[in-house]
Amino acid sequence: MSVPASIQPPHRLLMGPGPITADPRVLRAMSAQLVGQYDPWMTDTMNEVMDLYREVFITENQQTMLVDGTSRAGIEAALVSLLAPGDRVLVPIFGRFGHLLAEICRRAGAEVHTIETEWGQVFTEEAIEAALVDVQPTVLAVVHGDTSTTVAQPLEGLGELCERHGALLYVDATATLGGNEFRVDEWRIDAATAGLQKCLGGPSGSAPVTFSDRAAEVILARTSVEEGIRAPGDPVAVEPIRSNYLDMGQIFHYWSERRLNHHTEATTMLYGARECARLLLREGLADAWERHRLHGCAMTAGAKAMGLTPFGSLAYRMNNVVGVQIPDGVNGEAVRGALLDDFGIEIGTSFGPLHGRIWRIGTMGYNARQDAVMVTLAALEAVLRRAGHRMAAGAGVDAAYGVYEDAL
Amino acid sequence: MSVPASIQPPHRLLMGPGPITADPRVLRAMSAQLVGQYDPWMTDTMNEVMDLYREVFITENQQTMLVDGTSRAGIEAALVSLLAPGDRVLVPIFGRFGHLLAEICRRAGAEVHTIETEWGQVFTEEAIEAALVDVQPTVLAVVHGDTSTTVAQPLEGLGELCERHGALLYVDATATLGGNEFRVDEWRIDAATAGLQKCLGGPSGSAPVTFSDRAAEVILARTSVEEGIRAPGDPVAVEPIRSNYLDMGQIFHYWSERRLNHHTEATTMLYGARECARLLLREGLADAWERHRLHGCAMTAGAKAMGLTPFGSLAYRMNNVVGVQIPDGVNGEAVRGALLDDFGIEIGTSFGPLHGRIWRIGTMGYNARQDAVMVTLAALEAVLRRAGHRMAAGAGVDAAYGVYEDAL
């Protein structure tokens, strides 16, 4: 082959369910030069990242750090480390990512129990409590916002339920953290994981995670220090965690003062994760949640005004993504194609039962901005009109203007 | 906490065993904006990355791609996907990273057999064949260059041995790829994994991997399509691979024309991996190997001329890192500290039996350059002299000049 030219991506406005356009400040931070992984500056920076993510997760948890992989690596690290083979886990499934949690738990050797509800709905506390009583799981593993359906499971109260029934509460906050209220300590969440590519405005590839002392104790009881670097007296578990790369105990040790060598820290991703948290905290969490709420409302109002029907329970809609039903007679993929090819704008389709039935339009992270909303609505109107969908001219944009004016 | 300032790492010249200073062109490529993961431009770029790494690995293997994690994620993805619980694996251990392979295989549930040799030595083909006959493993898993000892196991012949004895050959090429001869097809290697942070001149966080058709067949027979996106007729394995994130079969499907959703591609790391390969292929593999050999020789000659004794078998030394014994009466950590604090230069110590006994000095990737070698030798002389180590003034630099002049 001939060696290709340097990278030159086409211009895109990413208004799908994530990944979204990265904040340019995050990409700039990632261009900083590397420093050795045990350099005092680097270990100080790792400690600083722990502090930043404690603020983002609203927690005092010592064990708050990054897993070097995408959000899915963070999910698996938490679950494979918390669950021993044979442990019972309860997974309430209300979309594609609940199925993912179940699959990951099954592969970790856990005994997986699920409850399911229609995609677009969420569970009542009573339904979850009944299942807890029935299953008596070690861990309740739940998705916060499932982008496949665009709704978020209310979490307040679940921590208390879990304490009462002797379970640990794990939450996948990949799609919500930074754009929706999320309080680890107040909500008594024992383990939470996320990614950068949604409301945090960074690229995929680093997973912020946090573990309560209770969860950390369970994990550390299962951890062995790695064979090649084990010192006399170091723990050797009878049944070690089934992964080395995703062994949260070893990752705790790597981020601890002992700095036990594990992987080679993905420094560029760490710089990115640091900048994501820094920008979010500079803005203020409450302001960031409100920003996501406002622009999500404007997008939803615009879509409705164009005659598009929102999907799922609007009462539980995530701030940062809205699902809308593809109108009868309109080719959903052709509309997405024209938006991308002719306007450089990406919106999403969905998975499983919703594939080809809904579009998913995101307003998150760097793209939770008025101009991104307005451009998307204007382009969508133009494409829908050419696809034969009828609406009043300017209806979407006008409705969004209305939301913004009301907010003043 | 008060929100910290934007990132500003101190200036460092990273001359340890890796990670090393990233090529600035790689960091620039990584600042390119994101594109959606199913954008035709993105899938074309993924295909291009596959082609680039086929050239880097010198293979025709269809299954050549990136795992989204550090080099260790690539190792575990290969081993957990190739080995079913109870499968026998043979791991020849000649340093710390052999122990790591054994640990990862053990956690995958394999029956692990090891042979060991003194750190600093390698195995003869006869010793490996005897163990193959004895153990009859499914997989022979071997490190190419083990940076903990700075020697590389010769690989030619092992592929043929494995074929004769019915084993697949897995090689961890993290520390050698791009800076030392490495030929996947010619050497009949069935699976090889690497990282960016050594001779490829990038940051840690993406793992190039390649699998022969024979290896891919074993993996695909163990793969299930993920629960949330499974279609009628899709494979469901009786005993699925123990990881979802590191299930190479699912990763094959994600990189295939079917583009089955798995993780969200770590696009910024992919841009970096692409640029690493692009720069390497522009230079030419043979030229890059020779560059690493030349600068490694200059560094070794300089160290010897300063009275430092190389560690391990020089006949099998990796091109890109040399171990030298810390002289009697010299505090190894104080020397490393002065180099870092006063000169901004990092060199490495080692692990296990070699901790505090040797320094490891790298010349790899972007830092396989004359100026990096010269500055390091001059600084090391200055620091060693103040630590009481006696040598002729300019001995190290002069010896390196000698190597460069001979090469003209």
Side-chain angles (χ1 to χ4, degrees), chain A residues 175-357:
Chain A
T176 50
L177 189 70
N180 303 263
E181 190 176 3
F182 189 73
R183 299 177 182 277
V184 165
D185 284 2
E186 196 177 317
W187 295 351
R188 304 194 197 176
I189 293 167
D190 290 295
T193 67
L196 305 186
Q197 74 276 15
K198 309 275 187 182
C199 303
L200 292 174
S204 170
S206 177
V209 300
T210 188
F211 296 86
S212 70
D213 289 351
R214 213 156 69 110
E217 205 176 299
V218 168
I219 290 168
L220 287 168
R222 300 188 60 215
T223 290
S224 299
V225 169
E226 194 175 300
E227 295 181 14
I229 57 171
R230 197 176 289 157
D234 276 341
V236 182
V238 178
E239 178 158 48
I241 289 167
R242 277 191 173 185
S243 172
N244 166 281
Y245 189 65
L246 301 173
D247 178 336
M248 280 310 317
Q250 293 195 347
I251 297 171
F252 293 168
H253 287 148
Y254 178 62
W255 286 74
S256 77
E257 288 312 308
R258 192 167 167 201
R259 303 273 167 213
L260 268 183
N261 189 250
H262 185 250
H263 60 283
T264 297
E265 185 55 22
T267 305
T268 300
M269 287 307 312
L270 177 136
Y271 291 172
R274 178 186 180 281
E275 187 69 1
C276 287
R278 200 180 76 82
L279 296 175
L280 181 62
L281 296 174
R282 262 178 58 125
E283 178 179 10
L285 286 175
D287 286 351
W289 301 337
E290 172 55 23
R291 174 169 57 87
H292 282 82
R293 193 201 59 76
L294 174 66
H295 297 294
C297 282
M299 184 67 87
T300 304
K304 284 166 76 171
M306 288 193 288
L308 299 174
T309 309
F311 171 80
S313 173
L314 277 184
Y316 300 107
R317 193 177 69 73
M318 296 162 63
N319 284 336
N320 48 305
V321 58
V322 61
V324 293
Q325 295 175 30
I326 299 169
D328 288 340
V330 168
N331 180 330
E333 288 307 284
V335 166
R336 293 208 315 130
L339 272 175
L340 189 74
D341 293 342
D342 305 334
F343 294 80
I345 298 173
E346 181 180 274
I347 65 170
T349 178
S350 191
F351 302 102
L354 299 180
H355 185 75
R357 280 186 50 210

Side-chain angles (χ1 to χ4, degrees), chain B residues 92-131:
Chain B
I93 297 176
F94 58 100
R96 185 245 166 132
F97 291 100
H99 284 287
L100 177 63
L101 299 191
E103 157 145 354
I104 289 172
C105 291
R106 222 164 259 139
R107 291 188 183 217
E111 183 185 311
V112 179
H113 297 258
T114 61
I115 51 176
E116 294 199 38
T117 187
E118 196 187 338
W119 287 31
Q121 304 303 318
V122 296
F123 293 91
T124 61
E125 223 175 281
E126 291 70 34
I128 291 176
E129 182 161 30

Side-chain angles (χ1 to χ4, degrees), chain A residues 75 79 89-94 97-98 101-102 105 115 122-123 128 139-146 152-155 158-159 162 168-174 176 182 189 191-193:
Chain A
I75 297 171
L79 293 172
V89 58
L90 173 65
V91 185
I93 297 177
F94 59 100
F97 292 100
L101 299 191
C105 292
I115 52 177
V122 297
F123 293 92
I128 292 177
V139 174
L140 170 65
V142 64
V143 173
H144 186 203
D146 197 314
Q153 171 65 44
L155 297 173
L158 293 195
C162 282
L168 293 169
L169 174 59
Y170 162 77
V171 178
D172 171 10
T174 302
T176 50
F182 189 73
I189 293 167
T193 67

Side-chain angles (χ1 to χ4, degrees), chain B residues 223-235:
Chain B
T223 291
S224 300
V225 169
E226 196 175 300
E227 295 180 16
I229 57 172
R230 197 176 289 158
D234 275 342

Side-chain angles (χ1 to χ4, degrees), chain B residues 153-210:
Chain B
Q153 172 66 44
L155 297 174
E156 285 185 70
L158 294 195
E160 207 177 311
L161 275 188
C162 282
E163 279 178 26
R164 202 179 315 143
H165 296 284
L168 293 168
L169 174 58
Y170 162 77
V171 178
D172 171 10
T174 302
T176 51
L177 188 71
N180 304 261
E181 190 176 1
F182 189 74
R183 298 176 182 277
V184 165
D185 283 2
E186 195 176 318
W187 295 351
R188 305 193 195 176
I189 293 168
D190 291 295
T193 68
L196 306 185
Q197 74 276 15
K198 309 277 187 182
C199 303
L200 293 175
S204 170
S206 178
V209 300
T210 188

